[in-house]
């Protein structure tokens, strides 16, 4: 009797093999460049510390923007590509308030109150813009196939960009200096300290809102199961609008913090920070609030030290002008090796 031996079937996915090879090459370049830089001793301990501090402040801004992406994705499963322009709208509009306060000497006489007023005003403008986008562009498409609101989000992004260009012009506006933020504390720039502390405060407030309030419970219920939440008496439309408003307020605050660090605003300023914040949300695990915060801080630090750590070690000229490449390279590596992000996507796991 003939016997048949079971042979294991090895199926090689060529596409997957190519993708993993590309990821492996990128990781190898990062390791080689880092070893080369550290072995050469190009930078002092103080310089590395400065890179990390700047990265934390920058990462705090990314984290605040990323929370808007991840909150909207949590309730609607939608990547809101117009969120970067929501961030821009608050910062760009607030420039005119900051300029008026500076011209009248209020910014110098009452710097702390002025900063609070700028943050609140920016959050208000961003919230109004986000609510308008949600009501006009997304709500009518609530039951449409996923691709439709995604395309709408891209269209809303361009619409907001060119609307604000028409309103405020295409030129770069320079934020007035705030004397309170000049100078250093223990060798660290005051502006970076203020930005990082503000970001931590806002992250803490958001965490308390989501975990300990009725509004937060409604948002969590809708993110778990929209239809069941509606059956349990949750006003879904109002909860989704609240989610947009909270995320936009965070982005508005991030816009002023961004302007305090980089001092320049324009109609196009939301695109790159928006994409980086999206990267941070993916890095942490989109749909996961702690993950978005962690991803933002991690991306900020990585982007700050990356040019000096491994691009410089690879002999790349003008490495510090290529820091944007680092963020997008990180996005590629995340999608290759860990698509669920650092903390994974808790909601998707539960629904599965």
């Amino acid at each position: 009797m003939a016997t048949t031996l079971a042979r294991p079937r090895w199926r090689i996915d060529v596409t997957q093999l190519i993708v993993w090879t590309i990821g492996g090459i990128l990781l190898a370049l990062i390791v080689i460049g880092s070893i080369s830089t550290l072995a050469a001793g190009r930078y002092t301990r103080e310089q590395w510390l400065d890179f990390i501090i700047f990265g934390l402040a920058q990462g705090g801004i990314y984290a605040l923007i990323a929370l808007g992406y991840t909150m909207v994705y949590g309730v609607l499963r939608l990547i809101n590509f117009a969120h970067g322009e929501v961030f821009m709208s608050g910062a760009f509009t607030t420039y005119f308030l900051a300029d008026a306060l500076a011209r009248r000497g209020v910014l110098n006489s009452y710097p702390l109150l002025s900063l609070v007023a700028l943050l609140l005003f920016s959050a208000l403008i961003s919230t109004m813009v986000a609510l308008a986008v949600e009501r006009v562009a997304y709500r009518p498409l609530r039951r449409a196939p996923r691709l439709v609101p995604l395309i709408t989000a891209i269209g809303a992004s361009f619409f907001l960009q060119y609307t604000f260009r028409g309103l405020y012009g295409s030129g770069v506006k320079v934020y007035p200096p705030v004397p309170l933020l000049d100078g250093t504390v223990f060798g660290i720039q005051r502006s970076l300290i203020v930005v990082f502390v503000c970001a931590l405060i806002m992250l803490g407030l958001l965490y308390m809102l989501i975990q300990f309030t009725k509004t937060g419970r409604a948002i969590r219920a809708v993110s778990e199961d929209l239809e069941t939440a509606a059956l349990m008496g949750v006003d879904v439309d109002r909860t989704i609008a609240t989610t947009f408003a909270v995320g936009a307020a965070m982005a508005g605050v991030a816009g002023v913090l961004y302007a305090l660090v980089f001092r320049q605003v324009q109609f196009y300023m939301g695109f790159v920070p928006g994409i980086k914040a999206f990267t941070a949300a993916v890095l942490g695990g989109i749909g996961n609030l702690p993950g978005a915060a962690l991803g933002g801080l991690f991306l900020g630090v990585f982007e700050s030290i990356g040019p000096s750590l491994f691009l410089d070690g690879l002999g790349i000229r003008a490495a510090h002008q290529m820091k944007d490449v680092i963020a997008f390279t990180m996005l590629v590596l995340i999608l290759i090796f860990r698509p669920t992000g650092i903390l994974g996507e808790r909601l998707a796991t539960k629904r599965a």
Side-chain angles (χ1 to χ4, degrees), residues 129-178:
V129 171
L131 288 176
V133 170
E134 190 275 333
R135 186 66 184 84
V136 175
Y138 298 147
R139 191 176 297 186
L141 305 175
R142 192 70 52 79
R143 297 188 181 281
R146 284 190 181 184
L147 187 59
V148 176
L150 189 66
I151 294 171
T152 304
I154 296 171
S157 171
F158 282 110
F159 174 80
L160 290 175
Q161 276 185 22
Y162 288 97
T163 297
F164 278 86
R165 179 183 179 181
L167 288 173
Y168 303 146
S170 58
V172 175
K173 309 290 185 186
V174 180
Y175 256 63
V178 182

Side-chain angles (χ1 to χ4, degrees), residues 3-76:
T3 58
T4 303
L5 296 177
R7 294 179 180 177
R9 293 183 176 180
W10 298 96
R11 299 180 61 184
I12 299 176
D13 188 333
V14 177
T15 304
Q16 190 70 18
L17 184 62
I18 293 173
V19 168
W20 278 73
T21 302
I22 293 172
I25 292 172
L26 290 173
L27 281 178
L29 289 174
I30 290 172
V31 172
I32 293 170
S34 302
I35 292 174
S36 173
T37 299
L38 294 175
R42 291 188 177 93
Y43 298 94
T44 65
R45 183 186 303 175
E46 289 75 17
Q47 288 174 312
W48 287 118
L49 185 61
D50 288 341
F51 291 146
I52 292 173
I53 292 170
F54 182 81
L56 287 173
Q58 186 174 242
I61 296 171
Y62 291 156
L64 290 178
I65 309 172
L67 287 169
Y69 279 104
T70 210
M71 288 179 70
V72 170
Y73 183 82
V75 296
L76 287 180

Side-chain angles (χ1 to χ4, degrees), residues 18 79 81 123-124 127 159 190 207 280 317 323 348:
I18 293 173
I79 305 297
F81 283 112
L124 176 64
T127 301
F159 174 80
R190 286 183 183 178
Y207 180 80
R317 294 182 179 179
K323 66 176 186 176

Side-chain angles (χ1 to χ4, degrees), residues 202-261:
M202 294 305 296
L203 292 173
L205 290 176
L206 177 65
Y207 180 80
M208 287 192 288
L209 172 71
I210 297 298
Q211 294 295 328
F212 304 118
T213 66
K214 186 178 178 181
T215 301
R217 284 195 296 274
I219 292 174
R220 282 186 284 145
V222 172
S223 68
E224 291 285 348
D225 193 315
L226 188 146
E227 294 180 354
T228 304
L231 291 174
M232 297 298 289
V234 176
D235 188 337
V236 172
D237 285 339
R238 184 176 180 180
T239 302
I240 291 174
T242 303
T243 304
F244 271 85
V246 172
M250 293 286 167
V253 170
V256 171
L257 298 180
Y258 180 91
L260 292 176
V261 174

Side-chain angles (χ1 to χ4, degrees), residues 301-326:
V301 173
F302 199 68
E303 186 179 291
S304 179
I305 66 173
S308 304
L309 184 60
F310 49 83
L311 292 184
D312 206 3
L314 292 173
I316 296 175
R317 294 182 179 179
H320 290 274
Q321 296 180 11
M322 298 182 65
K323 66 176 186 176
D324 292 344
V325 174
I326 294 172

